[in-house]
Amino acid sequence: MPELPEVEIMARLTRGWAAGKVIRSLDLLDPSVLVAGGVEPDVLVGGRVTSVRRRAKHLIIETPQGDIAVHSRMTGKLVSGSGTGRERFTLALDDGTVVSLRDTRRLAELRVLGPGGAQRWLDTLNLGPDAWPDAGGARWWRERFAGARGPIKPALLDQRRVAGIGNILASELLWRARIAPERPVPALVDREWQRIADAIGPLIDEVIAAESGAEIAYVNEGGSNQAFAVYGRDGSPCRRCGAPIRRRVQGGRSSYCCDGCQR
DNA sequence: AGGACTGTTCCGCG
DNA sequence: GCGCGGAACAGTCC
């Protein structure tokens, strides 16, 4: 599920569940989610959670004893409680709260690392700056994509340029900026970079608002989603100009756009 | 039955 | 060496 907004919501929720509390136990129900190369998970027991934060699509839980880094990939999510099946990992806190990683497709990755290990691991990924909340203006966007030669839509998915944008946000962003997904990056002019810069903040703000809830609440998992103008809406009329939304495949991924008003 | 899927990495090819 | 496309990962849901 998650792109930047969903991971942001999970981080906020998890912060409320776990921040400041002491880890009583960790239970690895599905050992295949644990990425090798870290430390023995039990070293975290007895440690107090000092921070829960998001970087790009990664969720980081830090304690003085060591860190947990979760990447939800396609279907992973952190939830409060356990017991519906599909839990791969649970974290029990000293007040009785249980936080679980639920992941049907089992593509999620859990890392348990020593003190400071999460940041050191993030540093190896060469992630670009986050797309939200502090992306820059037209010049910033143009410079982040300097050297890219292919179409803009797949380029937006490159986490080394700008981090946090996934397949849905890329289509939605280009619709808001009225730019066709096939446009080569070098062909974009400053006016268009400006429209991207202006669109990203409100887009992510709105997705977060639409999906936030007391429990994790992705809007309408699977299927089309009212929060999105083009994603999953092949054939329906564009909200802006009425022309039909089209689905095309780029780089093996679906792109949705309006040929009437995206140029 | 077959394809598609909000992510990422790896491999082969040009 | 780099960039691109496709495959792979694994499970569910049309």
Side-chain angles (χ1 to χ4, degrees):
Chain A
M1 306 286 115
E3 299 186 31
L4 187 157
E6 292 78 20
V7 182
E8 176 67 21
I9 294 167
M10 283 194 286
R12 291 176 182 178
L13 291 170
T14 303
R15 197 172 297 135
W17 296 326
K21 298 176 187 171
V22 172
I23 296 174
R24 182 181 286 162
S25 65
L26 297 90
D27 193 3
L28 200 57
L29 291 78
D30 179 354
S32 69
V33 304
L34 184 68
V35 178
V39 300
E40 176 60 36
D42 280 348
V43 305
L44 301 188
V45 172
R48 192 177 296 276
V49 175
T50 49
S51 87
V52 179
R53 63 193 178 95
R54 177 193 63 77
R55 169 72 168 105
K57 304 172 192 173
H58 303 266
L59 189 143
I60 307 296
I61 299 171
E62 289 163 312
T63 81
Q65 280 77 8
D67 302 337
I68 295 171
V70 177
H71 196 299
S72 297
R73 292 286 200 104
M74 296 290 266
T75 55
K77 57 166 76 169
L78 284 176
V79 300
S80 175
S82 60
T84 69
R86 310 296 185 231
E87 280 80 19
R88 309 298 171 189
F89 161 80
T90 61
L91 189 65
L93 288 312
D94 60 348
D95 67 341
T97 302
V98 174
V99 179
S100 301
L101 172 62
R102 190 177 294 164
D103 180 30
T104 52
R105 278 170 73 179
R106 303 171 69 210
L107 293 173
E109 294 182 341
L110 171 75
R111 286 176 172 80
V112 183
L113 305 160
Q119 186 58 53
R120 283 195 300 278
W121 178 69
L122 289 174
D123 289 344
T124 68
L125 298 178
N126 296 317
L127 294 169
D130 265 45
W132 180 95
D134 44 17
R139 171 175 301 187
W140 184 92
W141 282 87
R142 189 185 64 222
E143 289 174 355
R144 291 307 308 169
F145 286 85
R149 287 191 299 277
I152 180 64
K153 193 270 185 170
L156 286 167
L157 302 180
D158 184 347
Q159 305 294 299
R160 292 168 303 181
R161 296 188 179 279
V162 174
I165 297 173
N167 202 39
I168 293 182
L169 290 181
S171 284
E172 295 295 318
L173 178 61
L174 291 175
W175 180 81
R176 289 192 180 214
R178 306 197 306 279
I179 298 167
E182 289 85 4
R183 284 280 301 288
V185 172
L188 297 190
V189 299
D190 285 349
R191 188 175 63 252
E192 294 171 317
W193 289 119
Q194 186 65 52
R195 294 205 297 264
I196 289 176
D198 291 342
I200 188 76
L203 168 61
I204 293 181
D205 286 342
E206 289 170 29
V207 175
I208 289 174
E211 298 184 345
S212 287
E215 254 290 347
I216 196 79
Y218 300 154
V219 174
N220 202 7
E221 300 190 60
S224 72
N225 182 330
Q226 278 300 319
F228 300 126
V230 290
Y231 188 84
R233 308 181 76 84
D234 191 20
S236 46
C238 172
R239 294 178 188 175
R240 194 163 45 212
C241 76
I245 301 300
R246 293 302 180 201
R247 171 184 179 272
R248 290 191 285 272
V249 175
Q250 291 181 282
R253 314 292 308 275
S254 292
S255 296
Y256 295 87
C257 66
C258 173
D259 293 332
C261 56
Q262 290 178 248
R263 297 307 163 100

